[in-house]
Amino acid sequence: MFSRNAFLVDIVQTSAGRVLKLGSIESGKLWKQNDVLIFNSWHWWLHTGIKQPWDFIEIGDEMIKDMDRLLAYEKALNTWANWVENNIDPTKTEVFFQGVSPDHANGADWGQPKAKSCTKETEPVIGSSYPGGKHKAEIVLEKVINKMSKLEAVNLLNITTLSQLRKDGHPSFYGIGGHSIPDCSHWCLPGVPDTWNHLLYATIIQI
């Protein structure tokens, strides 16, 4: 079953507009009783304007127009982590969280400050470490998972660093946006996501 919820938490339609509820996972009812659950979130948290699928953010009893997206991501992850601990039996269900998928919009991150995007990048970053360091969203994700009382409940598929090294793996100006908007956040297929799938498969068969 594929359940598309890019934020993990709920987005509900109200009289005021679409509300992103950082403390609610009613959609989690669909996730129960599955043998394997694979979660992923981050890419859509940075969208604004017409690509943003909500009008307000709800934090507790407070409704706000916007907030720091990394902080919102962390609050949503904490809600998700609480849901997993309260609703999943790790002896019956294997839970995976795919690490953060990075983009390549700033050449300074990979040691080429003159590069403004992934355009014309044809080779990966050499070596096993990324010059720009650990992705900020991956740091948040690891912090939330490490705080869970049932650490064995979630398998983190840490695909972030290996994906950061693949600055050459995006559609660039061969994507939907063409030369006007180089696509440096999605990945060519076949390509980097195939490696993610291999790692997932290898992990599942070892459990």
Side-chain angles (χ1 to χ4, degrees):
M1 179 186 72
F2 174 70
S3 174
R4 190 182 188 285
N5 182 347
F7 300 92
L8 301 178
V9 293
D10 297 327
I11 296 178
V12 300
Q13 184 68 48
T14 71
S15 58
R18 301 164 299 175
V19 179
L20 176 64
K21 306 183 73 171
L22 297 182
S24 172
I25 301 187
E26 287 298 318
S27 56
K29 296 173 182 177
L30 297 173
W31 306 339
K32 294 181 179 180
Q33 309 304 320
N34 286 286
D35 296 324
V36 178
L37 291 170
I38 305 170
F39 296 95
N40 167 245
S41 183
W42 171 245
H43 180 88
W44 275 80
W45 284 93
L46 299 180
H47 285 323
T48 58
I50 61 173
K51 290 186 177 181
Q52 177 181 296
W54 46 266
D55 304 303
F56 299 95
I57 298 175
E58 182 184 273
I59 309 176
D61 296 328
E62 185 180 6
M63 191 95 74
I64 58 177
K65 191 68 178 176
D66 206 349
M67 65 181 293
D68 179 274
R69 300 303 178 85
L70 189 62
L71 179 57
Y73 176 64
E74 182 173 0
K75 289 184 178 296
L77 283 178
N78 281 318
T79 299
W80 165 84
N82 288 333
W83 183 91
V84 170
E85 293 196 310
N86 292 323
N87 292 276
I88 296 300
D89 181 349
T91 66
K92 297 179 179 179
T93 301
E94 288 293 337
V95 179
F96 296 88
F97 201 110
Q98 178 184 289
V100 171
S101 174
D103 60 27
H104 291 90
N106 184 359
D109 289 343
W110 60 87
Q112 295 177 345
K114 292 184 178 180
K116 301 304 180 183
S117 72
C118 64
T119 300
K120 297 184 180 180
E121 294 295 333
T122 59
E123 296 181 354
V125 176
I126 303 302
S128 58
S129 61
Y130 190 62
K134 208 162 189 176
H135 197 290
K136 58 185 180 181
E138 184 69 15
I139 294 173
V140 167
L141 174 60
E142 291 179 5
K143 181 175 75 170
V144 170
I145 290 178
N146 287 334
K147 285 195 309 181
M148 295 177 67
S149 59
K150 298 178 182 177
L151 281 177
E152 77 281 1
V154 178
N155 301 281
L156 175 60
L157 297 172
N158 196 338
I159 51 83
T160 305
T161 300
L162 68 87
S163 304
Q164 284 178 311
L165 299 176
R166 290 301 308 275
K167 60 184 173 64
D168 61 319
H170 301 284
S172 182
F173 52 67
Y174 297 105
I176 294 176
H179 285 73
S180 61
I181 309 175
D183 186 347
C184 298
S185 61
H186 297 94
W187 300 95
C188 294
L189 299 173
V192 174
D194 294 291
T195 302
W196 305 345
N197 291 335
H198 284 304
L199 292 173
L200 172 62
Y201 176 72
T203 304
I204 289 176
I205 63 175
Q206 290 181 46
I207 292 175

